Amino acid sequence: MSDPIIKIQNMNKWFGDFQVLKNINLEVEANKKIVVCGPSGSGKSTLIRCINRLEEHQEGDIIVDGNELSEKTKDIEKIRAEVGMVFQQFNLFPHLSILDNCTLAPIWVKKMPKKEAQELALDQLKKVQIDDQANKFPGQLSGGQQQRCAIARALCMQPKIMLFDEPTSALDPEMIKEVLDAMVSLAKGGMTMIVVTHEMGFAKEVADEVIFMDEGMIIEKADTKEFFANPKSDRTKLFLSQIL
Amino acid sequence: MIQTINFLKPNRDNIKNYSIIGTFLVLVSLIDVISNAFLKINLTSFLPGSLTTLFPLIIGLIGLNMMRIDYSGNKKLDLLNKNINTNNFNALLTLLILFSIIKALPQSLSWMIFDATISGDSKDACTGTGACWTYIKVWFRRFMYGMYPNEFHWRINTAFILVIALGFVGYFMKENLKKYLALYYVIIYPVIAYLVIYYLISGGSFGLQWVETGAWGGLSLTFIVSFFCLIFCFPLGMIFALGRRSNLPVIKYISICYIEFWRGVPLITVLFMSSVMFPMFLPEDFFMDKLVRVIIAITLFEAAYCAEVIRGGLQSLPRGQYDAAKSLGMGYWKMHIFVILPQALKLVIPGIANTFLALVKDTPLIFVVGLAELAGMLALAKTNPKWLGFAMEGYIFASIVFWIICYAMSKYSYNLEAKYKTER
């Protein structure tokens, strides 16, 4: 068994007086796919935002790829460059074309030559099947296309880990499928993924483990088959009965 | 009874009759006012007293009322009704404004054009009742160049042409140099412009005679002051806008203090301080020209306003943009230069244009420290014993010049807005 690529120990986080994450312990091995589910307000998004330190945690340790995240972390940008993230609201840069959205970070953060970055970007855009839209602006694309572009943009940094924060929640039902397809093929390519989602079909298909969270705590963590076939806690059962 | 009312009320069925009668009545009222104003003929003198004066108003109101047909199907009529004839009160306002303009037109036209004088080169030429444009003609060079010696005016012109030409360099820059564009405009261009203006207009070397800044003036001084203040206050404002949003308390509070200090004092006191108080604190052998001090003072003052405008733009960006940039591994500067500022600055173009227009229109204030730009030269000229009594012409001239400058600036800002508009 290899060393976990993400290791979270006894992590606590507060927003002011309100404790959003309570005593989180989580280990993710390389190439594993984890799906995090749970009702809204349960801290799922906050948890994965802590993994690339878009949110700061107050207690406990988070170790990503051997680097501990804390106030003392000097090169947080270097760690973030290795952790790709896809957001619910896509967050593409509206003033840049699709291609420029994808090449911006490789060129300026990884110091990649422009030509190489463009080839890489077109390659990634092709994998999510929007290479024909490369010169358009985000505002001209549909939600599903924008989200696939966001996935390509994150992949252009060639990250070791991908975080997905409810990537399909802001999409029409028709567009959800195209985004999920892109994520499934990414998963089959062996990427380490942590996905916050309500798409249980996706979880069943690709996840190695499913985590159920409620009120800032990890209620249940189990292998995917076990999780759906034989949930242990009553809260999980209730959640699954409502969502399935 | 109801039928009578329906008959009186204009609608789509009787549109033809009503719109024709209505148009006719409005035309009658206009003809009455026009003949009254231009030809001094009272067409309605047969009517008793006050009715004569009110006649066009009453007739016009009835006419507009008859024309007010909802959804008439006639595009021009609908446009008219929607904009200036929505109800009786608006119709009244429309007529009053129209009549006032017509009434005022003959007098102003004859004063400005028909009875005006432009020939001759002394006050004696102006004998008519109209405006004396001779005054402007004779003083024109002073209004443009101040007390700058006449034989050296070419130096100012050349310097301005050079500075403008250098400003257009960005358009012709090669693609692979485009990334240095911001650097060019923020640092290199101001320095070159300063050197051009220093060596050409000030002189003192290359065989050019030294002309002290006290002699500079007129519109050229307006341009010089506005130009330097504009190009310096914008980057400075940007720095303070970012500083005010910084997580580092020292930078944050310095920025807040700076912005609140400069926004809290009137520009006129700042100018006095810069010219009267400031030199007292300088070492004896250290000399800084008054014009430079004034430009620095206005720049610092306007930077505070720019900072707040830009901060507004920064705050209007969704947090997701910051998250996305950070998650791609961008640090503070990369995130701001490539993601945040391009979007924020685009949003604040109208606000920045506002600040810049205010700056240009504030430049006449430098008269209080003895620098006479366009409005300042007017103030000097109108007290010249040979040319007393032509303040009006001077101020009209200055208004037109300032209006042209400001209108050009605001047009340019609209163009910029359109150019950088992308769908969000």
Side-chain angles (χ1 to χ4, degrees):
Chain A
M1 190 168 154
S2 59
D3 250 5
I5 194 164
I6 299 172
K7 198 170 175 184
I8 302 177
Q9 286 177 321
N10 303 323
M11 195 256 281
N12 287 298
K13 171 162 179 61
W14 287 265
F15 282 137
D17 290 337
F18 177 70
Q19 189 168 7
V20 275
L21 293 175
K22 297 169 192 161
N23 200 25
I24 302 286
N25 285 290
L26 180 67
E27 289 188 3
V28 181
E29 284 165 36
N31 305 334
K32 294 280 180 193
K33 287 93 191 134
I34 313 284
V35 163
V36 185
C37 59
S40 47
S42 59
K44 327 178 281 288
S45 291
T46 313
L47 172 64
I48 68 165
R49 288 169 65 87
C50 281
I51 293 171
N52 66 355
R53 211 169 161 73
L54 289 178
E55 301 283 356
E56 293 171 17
H57 61 287
Q58 279 86 26
E59 277 177 12
D61 304 319
I62 301 179
I63 299 163
V64 176
D65 196 24
N67 303 293
E68 193 183 337
L69 302 185
S70 69
E71 283 138 44
K72 291 175 203 131
T73 314
K74 286 266 167 58
D75 280 339
I76 186 68
E77 283 87 25
K78 265 194 185 145
I79 300 168
R80 281 178 183 154
E82 311 228 310
V83 183
M85 184 150 182
V86 175
F87 301 87
Q88 182 177 358
Q89 298 294 342
F90 328 139
N91 295 344
L92 294 178
F93 306 134
H95 62 299
L96 297 176
S97 71
I98 297 302
L99 187 63
D100 289 341
N101 261 284
C102 295
T103 57
L104 184 69
I107 290 174
W108 293 101
V109 177
K110 289 187 121 183
K111 313 280 177 207
M112 197 182 274
K114 195 176 175 184
K115 230 178 183 168
E116 201 178 313
Q118 281 179 344
E119 277 165 22
L120 173 69
L122 281 172
D123 199 36
Q124 295 294 353
L125 286 171
K126 199 164 199 161
K127 279 185 191 159
V128 293
Q129 293 164 5
I130 43 168
D131 49 326
D132 51 336
Q133 315 278 353
N135 291 318
K136 287 193 182 168
F137 283 87
Q140 298 166 309
L141 265 55
S142 74
Q145 289 172 323
Q146 288 194 42
Q147 191 62 297
R148 283 184 282 153
C149 169
I151 294 172
R153 176 177 72 175
L155 289 175
C156 281
M157 289 298 285
Q158 292 159 323
K160 292 183 177 166
I161 305 161
M162 283 285 284
L163 307 174
F164 292 84
D165 186 1
E166 304 201 24
T168 55
S169 300
L171 295 173
D172 287 345
E174 279 187 321
M175 295 171 182
I176 290 177
K177 190 175 175 298
E178 59 188 53
V179 172
L180 288 180
D181 286 347
M183 287 165 66
V184 169
S185 71
L186 179 64
K188 294 200 168 134
M191 176 66 74
T192 311
M193 291 163 75
I194 301 182
V195 183
V196 173
T197 187
H198 299 297
E199 298 295 329
M200 290 302 127
F202 173 78
K204 280 177 184 166
E205 187 177 348
V206 301
D208 297 310
E209 273 183 303
V210 180
I211 292 172
F212 177 71
M213 286 183 74
D214 192 24
E215 295 180 337
M217 286 178 288
I218 295 181
I219 305 280
E220 187 152 351
K221 176 172 183 275
D223 283 352
T224 310
K225 273 184 192 159
E226 183 75 8
F227 181 85
F228 287 106
N230 200 2
K232 288 193 184 67
S233 91
D234 293 341
R235 184 69 188 85
T236 316
K237 282 176 195 161
L238 180 67
F239 179 78
L240 284 175
S241 71
Q242 280 165 348
I243 205 165
L244 286 175
Chain B
M1 184 68 193
I2 291 168
Q3 285 231 308
T4 343
I5 292 172
N6 271 348
F7 170 73
L8 279 174
K9 206 178 155 215
N11 58 35
R12 284 192 74 156
D13 300 328
N14 49 29
I15 174 167
K16 235 179 182 169
N17 299 332
Y18 271 90
S19 60
I20 287 171
I21 299 171
T23 317
F24 174 73
L25 288 179
V26 173
L27 277 180
V28 167
S29 73
L30 282 179
I31 288 167
D32 185 36
V33 176
I34 289 171
S35 65
N36 204 336
F38 284 90
L39 310 169
K40 308 237 179 318
I41 303 168
N42 190 352
L43 292 176
T44 53
S45 53
F46 56 87
L47 288 170
S50 55
L51 214 55
T52 326
T53 13
L54 288 178
F55 174 76
L57 212 54
I58 295 164
I59 292 289
L61 265 181
I62 296 171
L64 283 179
N65 191 30
M66 295 179 90
M67 286 163 73
R68 198 177 303 129
I69 302 161
D70 293 333
Y71 312 112
S72 63
N74 181 333
K75 260 195 184 160
K76 278 178 191 161
L77 192 61
D78 278 345
L79 198 70
L80 181 96
N81 284 336
K82 207 175 119 192
N83 289 312
I84 58 171
N85 191 19
T86 40
N87 54 36
N88 279 328
F89 180 68
N90 283 353
L92 181 71
L93 287 183
T94 304
L95 287 175
L96 280 178
I97 292 168
L98 217 54
F99 293 168
S100 316
I101 292 173
I102 294 172
K103 283 266 188 197
L105 215 53
Q107 276 103 321
S108 25
L109 278 182
S110 59
W111 186 81
M112 284 183 77
I113 298 167
F114 299 122
D115 295 344
T117 329
I118 195 159
S119 57
D121 46 14
S122 77
K123 192 185 175 181
D124 305 327
C126 294
T127 47
T129 50
C132 180
W133 299 125
T134 316
Y135 165 73
I136 304 293
K137 190 181 76 178
V138 172
W139 283 81
F140 188 75
R141 286 200 152 215
R142 295 278 82 80
F143 290 153
M144 292 296 116
Y145 302 105
M147 297 305 182
Y148 205 86
N150 276 352
E151 63 271 29
F152 298 142
H153 285 173
W154 65 270
R155 279 160 54 179
I156 297 185
N157 296 341
T158 323
F160 279 5
I161 290 168
L162 268 175
V163 167
I164 292 169
L166 285 167
F168 279 104
V169 163
Y171 282 97
F172 304 109
M173 221 177 239
K174 278 194 188 137
E175 199 59 39
N176 53 350
L177 291 173
K178 276 265 158 75
K179 54 183 164 185
Y180 301 113
L181 212 59
L183 183 78
Y184 173 75
Y185 277 114
V186 173
I187 296 166
I188 302 172
Y189 180 55
V191 171
I192 297 178
Y194 175 81
L195 292 177
V196 166
I197 283 175
Y198 179 81
Y199 282 110
L200 262 171
I201 303 185
S202 259
S205 49
F206 302 118
L208 296 174
Q209 196 188 317
W210 172 263
V211 182
E212 57 158 359
T213 51
W216 301 15
L219 189 63
S220 55
L221 187 63
T222 310
F223 280 141
I224 292 172
V225 172
S226 313
F227 173 77
F228 281 114
C229 292
L230 291 185
I231 53 177
F232 287 129
C233 85
F234 184 67
L236 201 60
M238 206 151 78
I239 290 168
F240 282 109
L242 292 176
R244 193 164 180 172
R245 286 167 62 80
S246 169
N247 290 328
L248 307 170
V250 177
I251 292 176
K252 182 174 174 178
Y253 287 107
I254 287 176
S255 306
I256 291 178
C257 287
Y258 176 90
I259 290 169
E260 293 307 334
F261 172 77
W262 290 101
R263 287 207 305 173
V265 288
L267 181 55
I268 204 159
T269 55
V270 175
L271 290 172
F272 270 124
M273 292 284 269
S274 76
S275 76
V276 184
M277 300 278 289
F278 183 65
M280 289 185 206
F281 300 109
L282 288 178
E284 287 230 347
D285 50 349
F286 187 86
F287 173 76
M288 197 192 260
D289 193 90
K290 186 158 77 178
L291 181 60
V292 177
R293 293 198 307 258
V294 161
I295 288 177
I296 292 175
I298 299 179
T299 305
L300 295 178
F301 182 84
E302 295 292 342
Y305 285 88
C306 274
E308 285 297 90
V309 172
I310 295 171
R311 192 169 68 95
L314 291 173
Q315 266 168 349
S316 65
L317 289 187
R319 198 177 85 161
Q321 292 292 314
Y322 292 87
D323 286 347
K326 280 184 198 162
S327 77
L328 288 168
M330 293 188 201
Y332 180 87
W333 290 109
K334 280 173 190 160
M335 173 171 81
H336 277 92
I337 291 171
F338 297 118
V339 177
I340 304 302
L341 283 174
Q343 295 184 62
L345 295 183
K346 195 160 63 186
L347 290 173
V348 300
I349 290 172
I352 288 289
N354 229 353
T355 312
F356 281 8
L357 285 173
L359 191 158
V360 172
K361 290 191 289 183
D362 277 347
T363 51
L365 276 180
I366 63 174
F367 189 53
V368 299
V369 295
L371 291 169
E373 47 66 75
L374 179 56
M377 282 313 295
L378 279 174
L380 291 179
K382 77 173 182 197
T383 51
N384 186 308
K386 282 186 197 158
W387 289 92
L388 287 176
F390 297 113
M392 179 87 130
E393 285 87 339
Y395 285 120
I396 287 177
F397 173 70
S399 319
I400 293 172
V401 171
F402 269 104
W403 185 82
I404 292 172
I405 297 170
C406 294
Y407 185 70
M409 285 174 68
S410 86
K411 266 281 168 212
Y412 182 65
S413 88
Y414 291 138
N415 284 348
L416 275 186
E417 255 179 86
K419 185 175 163 192
Y420 291 116
K421 196 176 157 202
T422 47
E423 289 166 72
R424 286 180 65 81

